[in-house]
Amino acid sequence: MTGEPYRSYGYLTPGEDLPEFELAPEFGRLPPYDGGLDAAERSRAARLLRDNIVISLHDHPVRFPADMRQTPEYNRTGRQHTAFAGLLASGMTVVFDNMMDGTACVTGNAPWRWLDVITDLGMRQADIAHQGDVIVVRNMADIEHAHRTGKVGLLFGLEAATPIENEIDRLDVLYGLGLRQIGIAYSEANALGSGLNESVDGGLTGFGRRAVARMNQLGLAIDISHSSDRTGLDVCAASERPVFMTHAGARAVWDTPRMKPDDVLRAVAETGGVIGMSAAPHTTLSEAHPRHDILSVMDHFKYCVDLVGIEHVAFGPDTLYGDHVGLHTVFGHLLKVGAAAPGGPSFEKVEYVDGLENPTENFGNICGRLVRDGFSNDEIAAVLGGNILRALDRIWALP
């Protein structure tokens, strides 16, 4: 650490250069999770978190307005505020940061505009450039540097390639601007393939196959978390590099469209890829734990470990700083997270996911849970980041 953590956009004058919003706090918004660990378990978990490279496959490490209804106005500024202090206290080495994503309505009322995405990517990096504790990750050396120096690396990505429209060279532009991970489609179909909410699953298009090939050539990690089942299978068959499912869960554990069936989970593993367990509210529930909390998420984790092996499983909690349930309410018409489907399982709604509520607390609690559940040090190291490092090494390898 370099002293007092930098406050986001601290190089600007609040109220003069940018509008002021009351933002959600980075610490203490909700009571801490009680994992029930004894002293020896707490010590072991803390040591494992400290000594290993820890990577979140998917989170939004930014502060939202305390009143989530102000988020559209906040996003119109083009500036989401990175939670620098929260990140430094998280134990994470790297976060796959997908920026505003499906809420990026900077210049209009619908997401995925090219100019909005470029604005978002540039603004975030302008902010990061004014401090020294958080860095932008573009290669393996950056990850090693972050771990060695105690910094936190942000690996920028998009949950959908929708902004490239039918311009395949825009993938090169995004890569050149620092993007290192990209999804195929979000809930709705685009020029590459079908999203998970389409009534007809058309799979990967011809353009989508060309895009996958270009992603492989560039070294852009591919994500199929929000793609349809057929599209996900097609991507895994077409890709010559490992494929990520950065934030999802198992449909066999919780039967909704947002979760993935066994054949898609296996297909990801067969590419050498990794499946990240999501914890977005009301997604990764389970019959054993239908009130969404860390135990529900661990049910998905254990199922995937049994199905594809622990070397293909990690965590992408998909959390943020603020009222995530409120965000889904404000942007429900755009996000369409697919938590509940007609005839699907019933569940009790929660105000937050206990144990996996924000990026600061996630991996401390995950590590503690893995210790309590009897996983070995090597298994925990693999799940915390080793599996993702192995896949990235292949994805980013030069031809």
Side-chain angles (χ1 to χ4, degrees):
M1 294 178 62
T2 58
E4 188 69 22
Y6 166 82
R7 292 181 65 84
S8 207
Y9 300 104
Y11 63 94
L12 299 176
T13 303
E16 181 177 325
D17 297 318
L18 75 168
E20 292 186 86
F21 293 88
E22 181 185 351
L23 300 179
E26 295 168 71
F27 304 94
R29 190 180 80 87
L30 294 167
Y33 174 71
D34 180 7
L37 278 67
D38 62 28
E41 290 169 332
R42 285 195 300 272
S43 177
R44 181 181 166 215
R47 184 174 65 255
L48 286 164
L49 194 67
R50 182 185 65 246
D51 292 348
N52 288 289
I53 289 178
V54 178
I55 303 176
S56 167
L57 263 181
H58 187 91
D59 268 309
H60 299 273
V62 292
R63 300 172 68 190
F64 279 75
D67 181 350
M68 197 58 83
R69 293 171 297 181
Q70 293 182 333
T71 301
E73 181 186 358
Y74 171 68
N75 284 358
R76 291 237 190 260
T77 69
R79 292 184 172 93
Q80 282 195 327
H81 291 237
T82 302
F84 290 103
L87 280 171
L88 289 173
S90 69
M92 292 188 291
T93 313
V94 175
V95 184
F96 279 58
D97 181 341
N98 282 231
M99 305 183 294
M100 289 186 193
D101 245 353
T103 68
C105 302
V106 181
T107 62
N109 295 313
W112 308 117
R113 284 178 168 83
W114 174 253
L115 181 59
D116 289 359
V117 168
I118 299 303
T119 298
D120 192 11
L121 187 59
M123 286 289 196
R124 291 289 305 285
Q125 293 190 78
D127 190 24
I128 291 166
H130 285 82
Q131 52 77 61
D133 291 320
V134 173
I135 64 172
V136 178
V137 167
R138 293 181 172 87
N139 51 46
M140 297 297 286
D142 290 335
I143 297 176
E144 293 164 1
H145 171 71
H147 182 57
R148 185 174 62 253
T149 60
K151 300 181 187 298
V152 180
L154 298 184
L155 191 157
F156 285 113
L158 287 174
E159 290 189 60
T162 304
I164 74 169
E165 298 176 316
N166 62 347
E167 299 274 0
I168 200 164
D169 287 344
R170 285 186 174 181
L171 290 169
D172 302 60
V173 174
L174 289 169
Y175 184 89
L177 294 175
L179 205 80
R180 289 297 181 270
Q181 171 253 308
I182 194 163
I184 298 297
Y186 198 72
S187 297
E188 297 176 343
N190 58 24
L192 288 78
S194 296
L196 61 87
N197 278 351
E198 296 295 336
S199 57
V200 176
D201 188 347
L204 196 64
T205 65
F207 177 74
R209 293 179 190 279
R210 288 175 55 209
V212 167
R214 181 65 62 86
M215 293 168 189
N216 285 171
Q217 290 171 316
L218 283 166
L220 265 177
I222 302 172
D223 175 32
I224 60 168
S225 297
H226 282 276
S227 299
S228 68
D229 296 345
R230 182 74 255 165
T231 299
L233 289 169
D234 289 349
V235 169
C236 291
S239 179
E240 296 180 353
R241 311 250 180 165
V243 172
F244 285 134
M245 186 180 295
T246 63
H247 59 300
R251 196 171 297 168
V253 177
W254 194 249
D255 188 9
T256 66
R258 181 65 184 86
M259 303 294 98
K260 301 298 182 183
D262 287 0
D263 58 346
V264 178
L265 297 173
R266 289 194 187 98
V268 170
E270 287 167 3
T271 70
V274 180
I275 302 158
M277 300 300 109
S278 177
H282 306 130
T283 58
T284 43
L285 299 95
S286 69
E287 185 175 337
H289 300 100
R291 190 176 195 280
H292 203 188
D293 65 5
I294 192 171
L295 298 179
S296 315
V297 178
M298 293 304 296
D299 289 337
H300 285 264
F301 169 78
K302 292 171 186 175
Y303 180 87
C304 290
V305 167
D306 290 341
L307 183 72
V308 301
I310 199 165
E311 65 272 22
H312 297 293
V313 185
F315 289 86
D318 191 10
T319 63
L320 47 84
Y321 293 92
D323 178 6
H324 202 161
V325 174
L327 179 70
H328 284 177
T329 300
V330 172
F331 285 97
H333 62 297
L334 298 177
L335 297 175
K336 300 186 178 92
V337 294
S346 61
F347 61 94
E348 178 186 351
K349 290 189 176 182
V350 296
E351 294 183 5
Y352 63 96
V353 180
D354 198 16
L356 293 169
E357 198 278 328
N358 65 63
T360 299
E361 72 166 22
N362 287 341
F363 279 87
N365 292 335
I366 287 169
C367 203
R369 196 71 244 168
L370 291 167
V371 166
R372 282 218 73 183
D373 288 345
F375 289 92
S376 71
N377 287 356
D378 286 347
E379 289 172 330
I380 293 173
V383 167
L384 291 181
N387 294 337
I388 301 166
L389 285 173
R390 183 195 65 248
L392 284 176
D393 194 43
R394 287 183 55 195
I395 293 166
W396 288 348
L398 295 175

